[in-house]
Amino acid sequence: MTNTNTMDTEATMSQAIALYKSGCEMVRITAPGTKEAQHLAIIKKEIINKGFDIPLIADIHYNPKAAEIAAGIVEKVRINPGNYTDRNTGKTNFTEDEYQKSITGIRKRIAPLIEICKQNNTALRIGSNHGSLSERIMDRYGDTPLGMVESAMEFLRICRDMDFHNLILSMKASNVRIMVYATRILVKKMADEGVDYPIHLGVTEAGDGTDGRIKSAVGIGTLLADGIGDTIRVSLTEDPVNEIPVAKKIIYYFGQVPVEPTSQLFRDSFRNPFEYDPRASNKTAIRGCNQFPLIVGHKDNKAHSADFSELQILENNSPWDIISDNRNTEAFSEEKELSGLVFDGKLKTSVFEFRELFNLLHQLNINSPVILKKDYSGIGESDMVIQIAIDFGPLFVDGLGDGTWITHPEVSSEKTTELSFQVLQASGARISKTEFIACPSCGRTRYNIQKSLQEIKAKTSHLKGLKIAVMGCIVNGPGEMADADYGYVGMGDGKVALYKGKVQVKKGVDEAQAVDALIDLIKENGEWVDA
Ligand code: SF4
């Protein structure tokens, strides 16, 4: 997605072409109003004049008229069902009659858009975002995965009633687990209603750097491993071109794997895939670290912050049994008394062998704790980051696994330990530092969000347990920063607003002073500790 001002033809066109050249197959551009929606025609023409044929997607919030204009110009329009027609007025306690009237209202407002999409063969993405649901949906379902799904299903049913099927749906959240559970519920709901429309995947506000890459790979990877997903977007608070190699690495991981039809998806699963349902293992083999997954570090490096060293486990083989073949059921049965298991992943796509292992342990009624181990010899560091995220992250999203043990002969123990902590943080299994929620920015952003995010991370990363949101605009930022403790939100040229939870406490702060003002706010609330 471009992050330029949509009215800046040259900048937007150049960025769209750069994204396309780096390997993306469609480009999304924000259209906050009718003026920007009209301007998409000029951008499209200029892109064609430069010799490129790039499918464009218009990103619409709050403005049905902009959606209708864009639908006559671009290949796809993305609308957010939480803010397409509904406006928040503070109302609660919707009666059934009021609820149904509101849906009738949506039907009237969206009908012209559907007709234009039909006439122009324009696709429509119904994209729910956690944090921007309508108050009607919030009143009935809360800000929940089910609320996200119902919000989209209402629109889907209207489209189907109007015999419009050029549809794709998405459930995005900055919280990986919420994004995963909402998307799985969506697949189930669609199957229950006898339909199966394509699904777009993405972790929104994933942030930047390795954290942002890991968060995206864990969320998208979990669902691709389920066989869910038709298009993906990695969103990073960086130059958008940086998103494409990450997306390609995620796709590459699954390149050789036959994908099950989604209708088969939950048939044999022993666990509840729709909410956090951790495997209860007996933690007898884990000393002093039984509340969250532990991390094993290299044996050759004593100075690291891992919970266990490789040496401790190798030298004291009991109580850990190290295995590398999850099909050896006989051995498992004989070893029922084993108190801890290290499973050494061997496949390129270990997420599948790890999942198979836990299925088998369930069948054999073995509750031993399991450390998941894998060696990444011969794999470059940037590829390794994505592979680790997809090998391990989906297991911890689903509450499977009691530890990680990652090795690479040329990567330090500090680094593999740090990557383990990042995967556990992204999957919500173990919080070891400040959680950052940062939007990728778009044409609505009017301050240097990338610089601000880096500065905020440098100064506040040690505040373990705090969630800080860094958002591009005041229109969508406050809603989409979900349950952040503090918000740093763009509100105009070079200006920022600060939030404590959902409450705006300062506005119009110059961006040059805003990071210090955020730190002062954290101090005023007694939540600052020195690094
Ligand atoms: S929150 Fe960020 S990505 Fe979303 S509309 Fe605002 S600036 Fe754009």
Side-chain angles (χ1 to χ4, degrees), residues 439-442 444-445 471-473 476-477 480:
C439 85
S441 80
C442 69
R444 290 183 191 268
T445 311
M471 308 298 285
C473 77
N476 289 329
E480 297 195 0

Side-chain angles (χ1 to χ4, degrees), residues 254-298:
F254 293 97
Q256 307 302 317
V257 183
V259 173
E260 286 272 308
T262 52
S263 56
Q264 299 290 312
L265 188 60
F266 306 114
R267 203 186 48 184
D268 302 320
S269 179
F270 67 88
R271 63 200 155 80
N272 175 1
F274 306 116
E275 59 187 26
Y276 189 56
D277 179 23
R279 170 179 179 262
S281 61
N282 57 50
K283 299 280 198 294
T284 48
I286 301 177
R287 293 174 291 252
C289 190
N290 58 1
Q291 298 304 312
F292 38 68
L294 62 83
I295 293 169
V296 181
H298 293 194

